[in-house]
Amino acid sequence: MATKSVEALLKEKRIFEITNPKLVQAPPEISLKSAIALMQANRSGYIVIAKNKKVVGIFTETDIVQKILERDVDWESPVSAFMTQNPVVLKPTDSVGTAIDLMGERRFYHIPLVDDQQNLVNVISVRTLIRFLAEFYPTEVYNLPPVPDQIMETPEGG
């Protein structure tokens, strides 16, 4: 029986098969202060901003760094003033490879997932993808960082 390549598996595997059920979301009216507190409470690097189950934005650590730090902001302002509006979304039925490609090309860490009616259903994170990919390369991943006095038997290191 021939084994499938990693590339073939990434095209076949669907996002919903690997996603974490944790989804941090809030309405666009939530204050900046409350949004950051929500992120901290959930140990999350994002909040999907949704109104009537529709994704209207995403608020991430990157937004905090680029739009808030070192600036005089009103902490009671709505998070919608600082979020990334109309973020790119995927469907849970899209392939894992599609998510990896999109995150790599656009430097996203989180992508909201919507159903056929465009209702928010989940999120895919780079952390989830890394854990999934680690299953394909367990020896390489679990042996990091390498032992300083390790001697490799082959030039490829494996």
Side-chain angles (χ1 to χ4, degrees), residues 34-45:
S34 296
I36 292 172
L38 181 63
M39 290 170 75
Q40 290 172 329
N42 284 281
R43 300 183 64 180
S44 172

Side-chain angles (χ1 to χ4, degrees), residues 9-26:
L9 287 171
L10 292 177
K11 287 179 181 175
E12 289 177 14
K13 192 66 122 177
R14 300 293 141 198
I15 294 171
F16 73 85
E17 296 177 278
I18 68 164
T19 50
N20 182 332
K22 178 181 173 185
L23 169 62
V24 183
Q25 64 178 315

Side-chain angles (χ1 to χ4, degrees), residues 4-148:
K4 294 182 181 178
S5 70
V6 172
E7 183 179 2
L9 287 171
L10 292 177
K11 287 179 181 175
E12 289 177 14
K13 192 66 122 177
R14 300 293 141 198
I15 294 171
F16 73 85
E17 296 177 278
I18 68 164
T19 50
N20 182 332
K22 178 181 173 185
L23 169 62
V24 183
Q25 64 178 315
E29 302 82 30
I30 190 173
S31 71
L32 179 59
K33 183 178 182 178
S34 296
I36 292 172
L38 181 63
M39 290 170 75
Q40 290 172 329
N42 284 281
R43 300 183 64 180
S44 172
Y46 75 95
I47 300 175
V48 178
I49 308 300
K51 186 168 189 160
N52 300 322
K53 298 183 181 180
K54 306 294 185 202
V55 176
V56 295
I58 189 165
F59 182 66
T60 67
E61 293 168 329
T62 303
D63 293 315
I64 294 170
V65 169
Q66 293 179 350
K67 301 172 185 174
I68 298 168
L69 285 183
E70 304 271 332
R71 301 202 178 156
D72 186 22
V73 298
D74 177 0
W75 295 101
E76 296 305 319
S77 298
V79 75
S80 57
F82 303 95
M83 70 183 184
T84 300
Q85 295 185 13
N86 303 313
V88 173
V89 297
L90 290 173
K91 292 185 177 178
T93 53
D94 287 333
S95 74
V96 170
T98 300
I100 291 170
D101 289 344
L102 187 58
M103 285 183 171
E105 290 166 10
R106 306 283 294 274
R107 298 184 189 266
F108 294 152
Y109 293 99
H110 303 91
I111 300 175
L113 301 175
V114 297
D115 62 17
D116 290 335
Q117 291 74 42
Q118 297 299 303
N119 292 327
L120 174 64
V121 292
N122 209 332
V123 67
I124 183 75
S125 71
V126 72
R127 180 175 293 164
T128 300
L129 290 174
I130 290 169
R131 286 185 181 136
F132 172 72
L133 290 172
E135 293 177 18
F136 290 111
Y137 306 102
T139 302
E140 292 86 345
V141 172
Y142 293 126
N143 285 331
L144 293 176
V147 179

